[in-house]
Amino acid sequence: MKAVIPAAGLGTRFLPATKAQPKEMLPVFNKPTIQYVVEEAVSSGIDDILIITGKGKRSIEDHFDRSFELEYFLQNSGKTNYLNEIESISEMADIYYVRQKKQKGLGDAILCAKKHIDGESFAVLLGDTIAQSNVPCTKQLMDVHEKYGSTVIAIEEVPDERIERYGIIKGKKIDDSLYKIEDLIEKPKLEDAPSNLGIIGRYILAPEIFDYITEIDPGVGGEIQLTDALRLLDEIYGCIFNGKLHDIGNTVDWLKSSIEIAMEHDEVKDELREYLLKILK
Ligand code: G1P
């Protein structure tokens, strides 16, 4: 299976930080956010990844490319731990790039993948969330896809005050963690939301999605919404994600996630805990 990672957005929620650098390259602790997402695809067994980029996104390509000067320097200065890490980034997967020419929304960005995908079901991973779990989120969806053969999307309960930021599903529970989806609404008002189950940005999509994307009109925000195209598919399952999600779609959530993820690193966690306690006094 191939994966598609849309990374063409303008990052307006992070301005001015994203004026001259892609939001996907903002670090969460010691890695750019997009590296976490690529790592999730790779640990799900995917080695063919298409990143949908746009203007001003060159540093994403550089990040996943080899860097001979840096490797030479690290080799000669005996910093072999960094060397191995740097080399492994460029060897993780075959990464391809295509540019979305105009920012017309997530659905339109996915449509840019049509030629590369070539008629097979494919995974989509959005970069606004880092998903941590024993079985990677995308692999959890792949397992359901293997059983049912149709489109599967990852969902999670969303608190009321966040409903308006998500695509929300309406569905019938068919087992502990699986729903048969009957409808989906992109960013509904709380009172119009059919449930509190939100789409978290991980999908296995049937290739027919491309035809439906070309059929739909612009939706919320005047954008071609993937959620609106999903509504037209015959069969979709929603799989409750089993793991921990870190939202990094806006500055405050990004900061919280950065702290949480830093706290998982033994080399900094004690110092960070002490510092946080001190400033909170
Ligand atoms: C996109 C999707 C939305 C989903 C969300 C998850 O919205 O359109 O359905 O719930 O990602 O992060 P965006 O956050 O790009 O506005």
Side-chain angles (χ1 to χ4, degrees), residues 15-75:
L15 281 169
T18 48
K19 185 174 174 229
Q21 65 172 335
K23 79 166 179 187
E24 294 78 11
M25 290 301 292
L26 294 176
V28 172
F29 188 51
N30 62 350
K31 284 190 270 190
T33 57
I34 195 160
Q35 190 178 328
Y36 291 90
V37 180
V38 167
E39 285 171 352
E40 181 192 324
V42 170
S43 55
S44 300
I46 295 175
D47 64 2
D48 181 310
I49 299 172
L50 177 71
I51 301 183
I52 316 289
T53 66
K55 207 170 165 359
K57 303 276 186 172
R58 280 279 296 279
S59 59
I60 297 178
E61 293 179 44
D62 290 341
H63 184 73
F64 292 105
D65 197 0
R66 291 206 56 184
S67 172
F68 291 108
E69 294 97 324
L70 184 60
E71 288 169 28
Y72 179 80
F73 171 79
L74 294 172
Q75 177 83 55

Side-chain angles (χ1 to χ4, degrees), residues 106 126 128 166-167 186-187 199-200 203 225 227:
L106 178 60
L126 306 188
D128 282 353
Y166 287 83
E186 182 66 11
K187 300 188 175 62
I199 303 168
I200 61 168
Y203 312 75
Q225 297 288 354
T227 307

